[in-house]
Amino acid sequence: MSTVLVANRGEIACRIFRTCREAGIRTVAVYSDADENALHARVADAAVRLPGAASADTYLRGDLIVKAAAAAGADAVHPGYGFLSEHAGFARAVTDAGLTWIGPPPQAIEAMASKTRAKELMGIAPLTHVTEADLPVLVKASAGGGGRGMRVVRRLADLDAELTAARAEAASAFGDGEVFVEPYVENGRHVEVQILADTHGTVWALGTRDCSLQRRHQKVIEEAPAPGLGASLTRDLYEQAVRAARAVDYVGAGTVEFLVADGRAHFLEMNTRLQVEHPVTEAVFGLDLVALQLRVAEGHALENDPPRARGHAVEARLYAEDPARSWAPQTGRLHRLTVPDGIRLDTGYTDGDDIGVHYDPMLAKAVAHAPTRAEAVRRLAGALERAAVHGPVTNRDLLVRSLRHEEFTSARMDTGFYDRHLAALTEPAHDPLVPLAAALADASAHAGRFGGWRNLPSQPQVKRYATAGGEHEVRYHHTRAGLTAEGVRVVHADARLVVLESDGVRRRYEVARHGDRIHVGTATLTALPRFPDPTAQHAPGSLLAPMPGTVVRVAEGLTEGTSVQAGQPLLWLEAMKMEHKITAPATGTLTALRAVPGQQVAVGSLLAVVRAA
């Protein structure tokens, strides 16, 4: 092959392009209108527009992608992950067009793409009639992935509503609304096996990965190898994974996923594609899985045995989201994203890029590799803590705290980790010197030609800031000696660096300001006017859009004047390919309903008002 089109976007497209460039292969990107200036469209050798912004009109249009390959002179197509990566019809369309498909045969995708058929192939039957005795159960999209189209149901009365929601979300994300129901195993570990197979009958089992730390059934932190499994269980996982691959004559890279509970491995599904978390396997085995995908697609044989695993690797997914506010996705300008040397960063963004509303909110994956698990975990936590992430709210602090949590460091985590610990992990950090550092940096940046000192005594300067922990008022003075603050020695202050000494301890604060947002180390503050605008108020009980998105539906029968119960679902927003439920804040009466299905809303838009009883 000489030219590869990547039928995807963002981080995975950029990652595949990197390997292609190293192999001397030309690259072609496809991009939607929303991605016209996206990094993957900029770094490819050629790029073809897919008109529209919605996934259904662009990245899920296999016919347009095949035409784009022909127009750009590509002779091979790599699907990445998500979108059409597990769509047998797309794989056939690619090969029918005379192009090389960098993935498994269409019949293998077909056999495993539906999770219901995959379970039947492995001898597992889904639930067809749910009773109270079966609860809790998991509603799952047959063609799904990434937690979309998935719901945990704990009350039989909720089943129909959750089936409807799962079907709608699955249809939107994958173009297929089929769902099924299976028993939900509480607090198991999510463990998977990376496989790689060639066309000559060789199948590699490339170790295990633990992906138990998840939010909304979507992985957050992954590692290889999965710790503490034991030789017998690991051998069973390998054998089941290889058996699944051989059952469908698999070719290429794939992943077989399991839920491990009570010392046993329960088959979940087979993902017939490259996984998001593949870098941890690459780090441990010293391989480039994309390069091996290319070689296998060209007909080359694998060695009889894979290389030996060395050390431990941990990956954290950095999302533009607010974990403390129901994981609400965030949008806006990403001003800066850097991590310390020695950490692998896979990303589809560069400084100055905009994070939009149309696609997944993942900004990057940070990966650390070390001789032992403890060293890898410590290295990744330290690097994330020192990383510069300037822009919308992210889950960076949550990642650092998760990596340092005793359950994780002792490898006792399971899929219920965030259900148990989210409140503690998102408790606002409090460093009383952070607002002062922001104020002193701002004062230094705006000092006049002769500085801010005045010959006559004056009142202290006052600045106000908002943080996740509340509002803070800061007071400081301009003096002949420079900036001063009560109880703190100002060692140094300029627009980018403030050094303060308190109780004999000296601390450095790196400061960056973008508009009214100030980043001080890992903390983010918003500059407030000294006197609040009295007109910027909403009626009590107002429900404001927590994110930009689209109103996909309003609860049936809901009109102004309707009585509602606290926690009752009122409407649903779709943002970044996920549905977000908006509920009544209190029991009372719906006095206003502004949301209409299909309506595009901005952050802070008034959706409804509930007057508490």
mmCIF file of all heavy atoms in Angstrom, residues 304-330:
data_model
loop_
_atom_site.group_PDB
_atom_site.id
_atom_site.type_symbol
_atom_site.label_atom_id
_atom_site.label_comp_id
_atom_site.label_asym_id
_atom_site.label_seq_id
_atom_site.Cartn_x
_atom_site.Cartn_y
_atom_site.Cartn_z
ATOM 1 N N ASN A 304 5.996 -16.732 15.274
ATOM 2 C CA ASN A 304 5.204 -17.761 15.956
ATOM 3 C C ASN A 304 4.757 -17.309 17.340
ATOM 4 O O ASN A 304 3.638 -17.612 17.773
ATOM 5 C CB ASN A 304 6.009 -19.061 16.081
ATOM 6 C CG ASN A 304 6.193 -19.744 14.736
ATOM 7 O OD1 ASN A 304 5.365 -19.578 13.837
ATOM 8 N ND2 ASN A 304 7.273 -20.492 14.585
ATOM 9 N N ASP A 305 5.610 -16.581 18.052
ATOM 10 C CA ASP A 305 5.297 -16.133 19.404
ATOM 11 C C ASP A 305 5.504 -14.628 19.512
ATOM 12 O O ASP A 305 6.430 -14.074 18.894
ATOM 13 C CB ASP A 305 6.184 -16.850 20.423
ATOM 14 C CG ASP A 305 5.949 -18.349 20.430
ATOM 15 O OD1 ASP A 305 4.796 -18.762 20.643
ATOM 16 O OD2 ASP A 305 6.920 -19.103 20.215
ATOM 17 N N PRO A 306 4.684 -13.963 20.320
ATOM 18 C CA PRO A 306 4.858 -12.517 20.509
ATOM 19 C C PRO A 306 6.091 -12.240 21.360
ATOM 20 O O PRO A 306 6.611 -13.130 22.030
ATOM 21 C CB PRO A 306 3.582 -12.105 21.232
ATOM 22 C CG PRO A 306 3.144 -13.341 21.963
ATOM 23 C CD PRO A 306 3.542 -14.491 21.089
ATOM 24 N N PRO A 307 6.569 -11.001 21.363
ATOM 25 C CA PRO A 307 7.699 -10.652 22.240
ATOM 26 C C PRO A 307 7.289 -10.738 23.703
ATOM 27 O O PRO A 307 6.101 -10.784 24.040
ATOM 28 C CB PRO A 307 8.025 -9.216 21.834
ATOM 29 C CG PRO A 307 6.776 -8.685 21.217
ATOM 30 C CD PRO A 307 6.117 -9.853 20.562
ATOM 31 N N ARG A 308 8.282 -10.765 24.579
ATOM 32 C CA ARG A 308 8.004 -10.824 26.008
ATOM 33 C C ARG A 308 7.554 -9.465 26.527
ATOM 34 O O ARG A 308 8.022 -8.418 26.075
ATOM 35 C CB ARG A 308 9.263 -11.258 26.761
ATOM 36 C CG ARG A 308 9.660 -12.704 26.541
ATOM 37 C CD ARG A 308 10.885 -13.033 27.365
ATOM 38 N NE ARG A 308 10.659 -12.780 28.790
ATOM 39 C CZ ARG A 308 11.623 -12.804 29.708
ATOM 40 N NH1 ARG A 308 12.880 -13.041 29.341
ATOM 41 N NH2 ARG A 308 11.338 -12.587 30.966
ATOM 42 N N ALA A 309 6.656 -9.513 27.490
ATOM 43 C CA ALA A 309 6.191 -8.280 28.121
ATOM 44 C C ALA A 309 7.245 -7.771 29.096
ATOM 45 O O ALA A 309 7.917 -8.561 29.766
ATOM 46 C CB ALA A 309 4.885 -8.521 28.862
ATOM 47 N N ARG A 310 7.372 -6.451 29.180
ATOM 48 C CA ARG A 310 8.337 -5.840 30.085
ATOM 49 C C ARG A 310 7.688 -4.654 30.803
ATOM 50 O O ARG A 310 7.185 -3.730 30.178
ATOM 51 C CB ARG A 310 9.578 -5.362 29.319
ATOM 52 C CG ARG A 310 10.359 -6.489 28.655
ATOM 53 C CD ARG A 310 11.600 -5.961 27.943
ATOM 54 N NE ARG A 310 12.310 -7.027 27.250
ATOM 55 C CZ ARG A 310 13.167 -7.863 27.815
ATOM 56 N NH1 ARG A 310 13.438 -7.734 29.101
ATOM 57 N NH2 ARG A 310 13.764 -8.804 27.112
ATOM 58 N N GLY A 311 7.717 -4.712 32.123
ATOM 59 C CA GLY A 311 7.253 -3.583 32.925
ATOM 60 C C GLY A 311 5.752 -3.444 32.965
ATOM 61 O O GLY A 311 4.981 -4.378 32.708
ATOM 62 N N HIS A 312 5.321 -2.238 33.275
ATOM 63 C CA HIS A 312 3.902 -1.933 33.477
ATOM 64 C C HIS A 312 3.597 -0.574 32.847
ATOM 65 O O HIS A 312 4.438 0.333 32.864
ATOM 66 C CB HIS A 312 3.584 -1.881 34.973
ATOM 67 C CG HIS A 312 2.137 -2.105 35.278
ATOM 68 N ND1 HIS A 312 1.616 -3.325 35.624
ATOM 69 C CD2 HIS A 312 1.086 -1.244 35.275
ATOM 70 C CE1 HIS A 312 0.312 -3.223 35.831
ATOM 71 N NE2 HIS A 312 -0.035 -1.959 35.631
ATOM 72 N N ALA A 313 2.399 -0.436 32.284
ATOM 73 C CA ALA A 313 1.991 0.827 31.663
ATOM 74 C C ALA A 313 0.598 1.216 32.144
ATOM 75 O O ALA A 313 -0.261 0.347 32.356
ATOM 76 C CB ALA A 313 2.008 0.720 30.142
ATOM 77 N N VAL A 314 0.387 2.505 32.309
ATOM 78 C CA VAL A 314 -0.909 3.035 32.748
ATOM 79 C C VAL A 314 -1.288 4.189 31.829
ATOM 80 O O VAL A 314 -0.447 5.018 31.469
ATOM 81 C CB VAL A 314 -0.858 3.536 34.213
ATOM 82 C CG1 VAL A 314 -2.252 3.919 34.688
ATOM 83 C CG2 VAL A 314 -0.276 2.477 35.126
ATOM 84 N N GLU A 315 -2.564 4.222 31.458
ATOM 85 C CA GLU A 315 -3.075 5.278 30.574
ATOM 86 C C GLU A 315 -4.249 5.979 31.250
ATOM 87 O O GLU A 315 -5.096 5.328 31.865
ATOM 88 C CB GLU A 315 -3.537 4.669 29.250
ATOM 89 C CG GLU A 315 -4.277 5.647 28.335
ATOM 90 C CD GLU A 315 -4.759 4.994 27.052
ATOM 91 O OE1 GLU A 315 -3.907 4.648 26.214
ATOM 92 O OE2 GLU A 315 -5.983 4.802 26.898
ATOM 93 N N ALA A 316 -4.305 7.289 31.132
ATOM 94 C CA ALA A 316 -5.430 8.076 31.647
ATOM 95 C C ALA A 316 -6.008 8.891 30.497
ATOM 96 O O ALA A 316 -5.280 9.501 29.719
ATOM 97 C CB ALA A 316 -4.973 9.004 32.773
ATOM 98 N N ARG A 317 -7.338 8.876 30.403
ATOM 99 C CA ARG A 317 -8.013 9.642 29.361
ATOM 100 C C ARG A 317 -8.390 11.012 29.912
ATOM 101 O O ARG A 317 -9.143 11.124 30.877
ATOM 102 C CB ARG A 317 -9.270 8.919 28.885
ATOM 103 C CG ARG A 317 -9.026 7.520 28.348
ATOM 104 C CD ARG A 317 -10.289 6.981 27.711
ATOM 105 N NE ARG A 317 -10.191 5.563 27.425
ATOM 106 C CZ ARG A 317 -11.112 4.865 26.761
ATOM 107 N NH1 ARG A 317 -12.198 5.482 26.323
ATOM 108 N NH2 ARG A 317 -10.965 3.576 26.541
ATOM 109 N N LEU A 318 -7.881 12.038 29.277
ATOM 110 C CA LEU A 318 -8.169 13.417 29.682
ATOM 111 C C LEU A 318 -9.387 13.898 28.909
ATOM 112 O O LEU A 318 -9.353 13.998 27.674
ATOM 113 C CB LEU A 318 -6.959 14.306 29.397
ATOM 114 C CG LEU A 318 -7.072 15.765 29.821
ATOM 115 C CD1 LEU A 318 -7.105 15.882 31.342
ATOM 116 C CD2 LEU A 318 -5.911 16.575 29.254
ATOM 117 N N TYR A 319 -10.454 14.191 29.634
ATOM 118 C CA TYR A 319 -11.712 14.622 29.007
ATOM 119 C C TYR A 319 -11.995 16.081 29.330
ATOM 120 O O TYR A 319 -11.714 16.557 30.441
ATOM 121 C CB TYR A 319 -12.887 13.801 29.538
ATOM 122 C CG TYR A 319 -12.976 12.381 29.032
ATOM 123 C CD1 TYR A 319 -12.501 11.323 29.807
ATOM 124 C CD2 TYR A 319 -13.563 12.083 27.805
ATOM 125 C CE1 TYR A 319 -12.596 10.015 29.364
ATOM 126 C CE2 TYR A 319 -13.671 10.778 27.361
ATOM 127 C CZ TYR A 319 -13.182 9.753 28.139
ATOM 128 O OH TYR A 319 -13.291 8.451 27.701
ATOM 129 N N ALA A 320 -12.628 16.773 28.373
ATOM 130 C CA ALA A 320 -13.189 18.097 28.631
ATOM 131 C C ALA A 320 -14.569 17.877 29.227
ATOM 132 O O ALA A 320 -15.581 17.826 28.513
ATOM 133 C CB ALA A 320 -13.270 18.910 27.344
ATOM 134 N N GLU A 321 -14.611 17.697 30.535
ATOM 135 C CA GLU A 321 -15.864 17.431 31.227
ATOM 136 C C GLU A 321 -15.704 17.818 32.692
ATOM 137 O O GLU A 321 -14.591 17.948 33.197
ATOM 138 C CB GLU A 321 -16.246 15.953 31.116
ATOM 139 C CG GLU A 321 -15.280 15.019 31.823
ATOM 140 C CD GLU A 321 -15.617 13.550 31.640
ATOM 141 O OE1 GLU A 321 -16.472 13.226 30.789
ATOM 142 O OE2 GLU A 321 -15.023 12.709 32.349
ATOM 143 N N ASP A 322 -16.832 17.970 33.361
ATOM 144 C CA ASP A 322 -16.833 18.333 34.779
ATOM 145 C C ASP A 322 -17.375 17.162 35.584
ATOM 146 O O ASP A 322 -18.595 16.974 35.673
ATOM 147 C CB ASP A 322 -17.693 19.581 34.999
ATOM 148 C CG ASP A 322 -17.558 20.131 36.416
ATOM 149 O OD1 ASP A 322 -16.990 19.431 37.275
ATOM 150 O OD2 ASP A 322 -18.009 21.265 36.649
ATOM 151 N N PRO A 323 -16.510 16.339 36.181
ATOM 152 C CA PRO A 323 -16.975 15.176 36.931
ATOM 153 C C PRO A 323 -17.894 15.545 38.093
ATOM 154 O O PRO A 323 -18.756 14.757 38.469
ATOM 155 C CB PRO A 323 -15.676 14.537 37.442
ATOM 156 C CG PRO A 323 -14.607 15.045 36.543
ATOM 157 C CD PRO A 323 -15.038 16.429 36.158
ATOM 158 N N ALA A 324 -17.713 16.733 38.660
ATOM 159 C CA ALA A 324 -18.528 17.139 39.806
ATOM 160 C C ALA A 324 -19.939 17.530 39.402
ATOM 161 O O ALA A 324 -20.812 17.666 40.260
ATOM 162 C CB ALA A 324 -17.859 18.299 40.539
ATOM 163 N N ARG A 325 -20.177 17.711 38.116
ATOM 164 C CA ARG A 325 -21.508 18.092 37.620
ATOM 165 C C ARG A 325 -22.011 17.029 36.651
ATOM 166 O O ARG A 325 -22.253 17.286 35.477
ATOM 167 C CB ARG A 325 -21.461 19.465 36.949
ATOM 168 C CG ARG A 325 -21.164 20.615 37.906
ATOM 169 C CD ARG A 325 -20.937 21.914 37.176
ATOM 170 N NE ARG A 325 -22.016 22.227 36.254
ATOM 171 C CZ ARG A 325 -21.817 22.641 34.996
ATOM 172 N NH1 ARG A 325 -20.591 22.764 34.514
ATOM 173 N NH2 ARG A 325 -22.836 22.918 34.220
ATOM 174 N N SER A 326 -22.087 15.798 37.155
ATOM 175 C CA SER A 326 -22.613 14.669 36.375
ATOM 176 C C SER A 326 -21.839 14.461 35.077
ATOM 177 O O SER A 326 -22.421 14.106 34.051
ATOM 178 C CB SER A 326 -24.104 14.865 36.074
ATOM 179 O OG SER A 326 -24.845 14.978 37.265
ATOM 180 N N TRP A 327 -20.529 14.710 35.136
ATOM 181 C CA TRP A 327 -19.644 14.481 33.987
ATOM 182 C C TRP A 327 -20.053 15.333 32.783
ATOM 183 O O TRP A 327 -19.862 14.930 31.632
ATOM 184 C CB TRP A 327 -19.625 13.002 33.588
ATOM 185 C CG TRP A 327 -19.408 12.055 34.713
ATOM 186 C CD1 TRP A 327 -20.360 11.384 35.415
ATOM 187 C CD2 TRP A 327 -18.155 11.660 35.299
ATOM 188 N NE1 TRP A 327 -19.785 10.603 36.380
ATOM 189 C CE2 TRP A 327 -18.435 10.756 36.327
ATOM 190 C CE3 TRP A 327 -16.815 11.998 35.028
ATOM 191 C CZ2 TRP A 327 -17.445 10.161 37.113
ATOM 192 C CZ3 TRP A 327 -15.830 11.405 35.805
ATOM 193 C CH2 TRP A 327 -16.146 10.503 36.829
ATOM 194 N N ALA A 328 -20.621 16.496 33.017
ATOM 195 C CA ALA A 328 -21.099 17.332 31.920
ATOM 196 C C ALA A 328 -19.952 17.691 30.982
ATOM 197 O O ALA A 328 -18.918 18.209 31.422
ATOM 198 C CB ALA A 328 -21.726 18.607 32.472
ATOM 199 N N PRO A 329 -20.105 17.449 29.669
ATOM 200 C CA PRO A 329 -19.040 17.809 28.726
ATOM 201 C C PRO A 329 -18.879 19.318 28.630
ATOM 202 O O PRO A 329 -19.832 20.079 28.828
ATOM 203 C CB PRO A 329 -19.518 17.210 27.402
ATOM 204 C CG PRO A 329 -20.992 17.051 27.557
ATOM 205 C CD PRO A 329 -21.245 16.793 29.003
ATOM 206 N N GLN A 330 -17.661 19.752 28.315
ATOM 207 C CA GLN A 330 -17.335 21.176 28.257
ATOM 208 C C GLN A 330 -16.838 21.533 26.862
ATOM 209 O O GLN A 330 -16.257 20.698 26.161
ATOM 210 C CB GLN A 330 -16.245 21.507 29.281
ATOM 211 C CG GLN A 330 -16.566 21.066 30.693
ATOM 212 C CD GLN A 330 -17.701 21.848 31.306
ATOM 213 O OE1 GLN A 330 -17.628 23.055 31.453
ATOM 214 N NE2 GLN A 330 -18.773 21.141 31.681
#
